[in-house]
């Protein structure tokens, strides 16, 4: 595939992924404003954008077998941890305390993600099954029963949802 086309597919994916999350946020806002039909429209559009984004990924041919995919995501977590450290410094320098706090929290969560990927790589062929629990406040993920409070953002146990 041509270099420009590969770059354009990546840009298209990024745009569709951003549109997905933007429409999800708009749906939440419409629900809060008690506009259920508009919220449904935003959710439907978000799902359409998710389909577009998946199509762009498919065309980029970036997925490998599961072991390769785990190793790739493990590597991206290292990059994310370093990147959030740099983003945090800039936010601190500019006095953006709320942004700095979010970058710090996200960096800490990414470290947990990295550990879970590492664990999955080490046990790829094990037949052990289990669920993951995700904090809907900060994105912390655990493969064990959540504590009473999230170790990253201190949210109550009720803030976790289970991914089966």
């Amino acid at each position: 595939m041509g270099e420009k086309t590969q770059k354009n597919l990546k840009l298209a994916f990024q745009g569709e992924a951003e549109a997905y999350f933007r429409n999800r946020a708009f749906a939440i806002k419409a629900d809060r404003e008690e506009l259920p039909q508009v919220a449904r429209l935003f959710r439907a559009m978000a799902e359409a954008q998710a389909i577009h984004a998946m199509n762009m990924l498919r065309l980029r041919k970036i997925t490998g077998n599961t072991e390769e995919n785990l190793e790739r995501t493990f590597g991206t977590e290292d990059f994310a941890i370093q990147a959030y450290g740099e983003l945090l410094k800039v936010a601190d320098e500019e006095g953006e305390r709320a942004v700095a706090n979010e970058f710090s929290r996200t960096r800490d969560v990414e470290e947990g993600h990295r550990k879970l990927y590492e664990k999955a790589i080490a046990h790829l062929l094990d037949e052990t099954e289990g669920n993951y629990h995700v904090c809907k406040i900060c994105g912390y993920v655990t493969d064990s029963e959540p504590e009473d409070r999230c170790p990253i953002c201190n949210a109550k146990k009720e803030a976790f949802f289970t991914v089966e």
Side-chain angles (χ1 to χ4, degrees):
M1 177 177 304
E3 187 177 321
K4 288 180 184 177
T5 299
Q6 183 74 298
K7 181 180 176 184
N8 289 341
L9 279 171
K10 185 175 183 178
L11 288 171
F13 167 77
Q14 290 169 338
E16 295 294 342
E18 183 177 334
Y20 169 81
F21 287 105
R22 185 180 54 243
N23 279 316
R24 293 289 303 204
F26 291 170
I28 291 167
K29 183 68 171 167
D31 278 332
R32 288 182 182 152
E33 293 175 358
E34 297 181 9
L35 298 166
Q37 187 60 36
V38 175
R40 279 191 288 278
L41 173 62
F42 283 131
R43 282 192 295 275
M45 293 302 182
E47 292 307 315
Q49 264 100 31
I51 291 167
H52 299 161
M54 290 299 289
N55 288 339
M56 300 307 158
L57 283 178
R58 179 182 49 78
L59 289 167
R60 289 176 63 200
K61 299 177 183 168
I62 63 168
T63 56
N65 64 42
T66 299
E67 184 174 6
E68 292 166 340
N69 294 339
L70 282 169
E71 288 173 0
R72 181 180 186 149
T73 52
F74 177 78
T76 61
E77 293 298 331
D78 282 339
F79 176 79
I81 291 164
Q82 292 173 358
Y84 277 114
E86 294 302 315
L87 297 173
L88 169 60
K89 278 190 231 178
V90 172
D92 272 337
E93 289 168 4
E94 294 184 346
E96 298 294 340
R97 196 70 236 141
V99 175
N101 286 339
E102 188 60 32
F103 287 158
S104 176
R105 192 164 68 177
T106 301
R107 180 201 55 208
D108 295 347
V109 168
E110 297 292 351
E111 289 175 2
H113 293 175
R114 182 184 181 282
K115 289 176 185 172
L116 287 171
Y117 282 128
E118 185 175 40
K119 186 176 179 181
I121 290 167
H123 301 286
L124 185 62
L125 299 177
D126 290 356
E127 293 190 28
T128 306
E129 289 190 24
N131 296 327
Y132 292 96
H133 308 278
V134 182
C135 176
K136 63 184 168 188
I137 306 301
C138 72
Y140 172 76
V141 180
T142 180
D143 58 353
S144 58
E145 189 64 28
E147 303 287 328
D148 288 337
R149 295 279 185 171
C150 175
I152 303 296
C153 70
N154 205 34
K156 292 182 181 178
K157 183 177 183 174
E158 293 78 26
F160 282 80
F161 63 93
T162 302
V163 177
E164 299 178 359

